[in-house]
Amino acid sequence: DTAVSQTPKYLVTQMGNDKSIKCEQNLGHDTMYWYKQDSKKFLKIMFSYNNKELIINETVPNRFSPKSPDKAHLNLHINSLELGDSAVYFCASSLSSGSYEQYFGPGTRLTVT
Amino acid sequence: AQRVTQPEKLLSVFKGAPVELKCNYSYSGSPELFWYVQYSRQRLQLLLRHISRESIKGFTADLNKGETSFHLKKPFAQEEDSAMYYCALSGHTGRRALTFGSGTRLQVQP
């Protein structure tokens, strides 16, 4: 009964490839997020969706394309992977009103070689 | 623009010593402040938030609007407190995403 789950946990791939990371939450939340944690452990917001609608799109290369098929899912597709994309990607979810506590997934460690 | 600053990358203390992890923020409005913790090989989890004014695992944090600070404190550190601690801010202008500080690694030595 994991609250926020991500697949895969680890992803090793070569430069130039295209890959996807999936996220699912069973908390009934209406807002989902993607964060990137770099090698220095710094966490930064990338995207946020509310009820399948994109509401935050930070300065992220357009090789990154999020997709939210429904409120419970938020996927991240990355085209033409580069070495600098290596990081841990965290999915999170929350309600858009009331408590803004965000629940995080376990993270996906992406290594681009 | 909102910003969170955690000046210490690493804080090393002995078991039983007091702990204070510093956090300063800048935000033009009334933010909501949080402390998140990441234990080794575990996911990020909420430790506490300023609006609930509670103590979790012996940790407390008080929002000081005059100094724009939200320092995390614990009077007696335990070895199991060793983890990465992130201070985070959420604005109230429709942007619910968290702005994180760079994190402080707390090492509690026996």
Side-chain angles (χ1 to χ4, degrees):
Chain A
D1 59 346
T2 305
V4 183
S5 59
Q6 290 179 233
T7 53
K9 254 189 135 169
Y10 300 95
L11 187 53
V12 181
T13 188
Q14 291 185 327
M15 278 173 52
N17 284 347
D18 303 339
K19 290 293 176 187
S20 290
I21 307 171
K22 297 187 176 186
C23 178
E24 177 180 359
Q25 55 93 5
N26 61 7
L27 296 166
H29 290 163
D30 57 1
T31 306
M32 296 184 73
Y33 313 81
W34 277 113
Y35 290 88
K36 180 180 179 180
Q37 186 179 46
D38 62 24
S39 57
K40 295 182 180 175
K41 302 289 188 184
F42 189 57
L43 271 159
K44 194 168 179 198
I45 182 70
M46 298 174 70
F47 301 104
S48 175
Y49 270 76
N50 176 257
N51 280 318
K52 302 194 297 174
E53 185 183 335
L54 181 66
I55 56 171
I56 292 175
N57 184 351
E58 290 296 288
T59 311
V60 177
N62 56 17
R63 298 181 294 104
F64 289 78
S65 51
K67 274 197 175 58
S68 181
D70 55 57
K71 281 195 317 185
H73 296 85
L74 180 61
N75 304 324
L76 183 64
H77 187 76
I78 316 169
N79 288 327
S80 304
L81 279 155
E82 299 177 358
L83 291 176
D85 298 332
S86 295
V88 181
Y89 293 85
F90 286 98
C91 176
S93 71
S94 73
L95 291 169
S96 58
S97 60
S99 167
Y100 303 129
E101 177 180 351
Q102 292 190 17
Y103 290 79
F104 283 79
T108 295
R109 183 175 293 278
L110 171 64
T111 304
V112 183
T113 61
Chain B
Q2 51 199 57
R3 188 184 177 101
V4 178
T5 304
Q6 292 179 250
E8 303 137 331
K9 274 192 173 173
L10 172 66
L11 184 62
S12 186
V13 301
F14 286 103
K15 178 181 168 183
V19 168
E20 183 178 45
L21 287 85
K22 292 186 168 34
C23 172
N24 287 87
Y25 68 91
S26 64
Y27 182 71
S28 54
S30 293
E32 191 166 352
L33 274 295
F34 304 84
W35 276 99
Y36 277 81
V37 60
Q38 189 175 27
Y39 299 103
S40 179
R41 295 199 173 93
Q42 293 187 30
R43 66 184 69 197
L44 207 62
Q45 55 188 285
L46 179 68
L47 181 62
L48 49 79
R49 71 192 99 174
H50 88 268
I51 56 170
S52 42
R53 302 178 69 85
E54 55 196 344
S55 173
I56 304 290
K57 298 184 180 182
F59 284 98
T60 58
D62 289 318
L63 179 62
N64 185 323
K65 291 186 179 179
E67 295 181 358
T68 60
S69 69
F70 189 55
H71 304 326
L72 183 68
K73 298 177 185 178
K74 184 169 183 177
F76 308 103
Q78 303 298 314
E79 287 182 68
E80 55 265 30
D81 295 329
S82 296
M84 195 76 178
Y85 290 80
Y86 291 93
C87 184
L89 175 156
S90 175
H92 284 264
T93 53
R95 180 189 164 93
R96 299 295 171 227
L98 293 168
T99 298
F100 284 92
S102 51
T104 298
R105 180 167 296 284
L106 175 64
Q107 276 181 357
V108 181
Q109 301 183 52

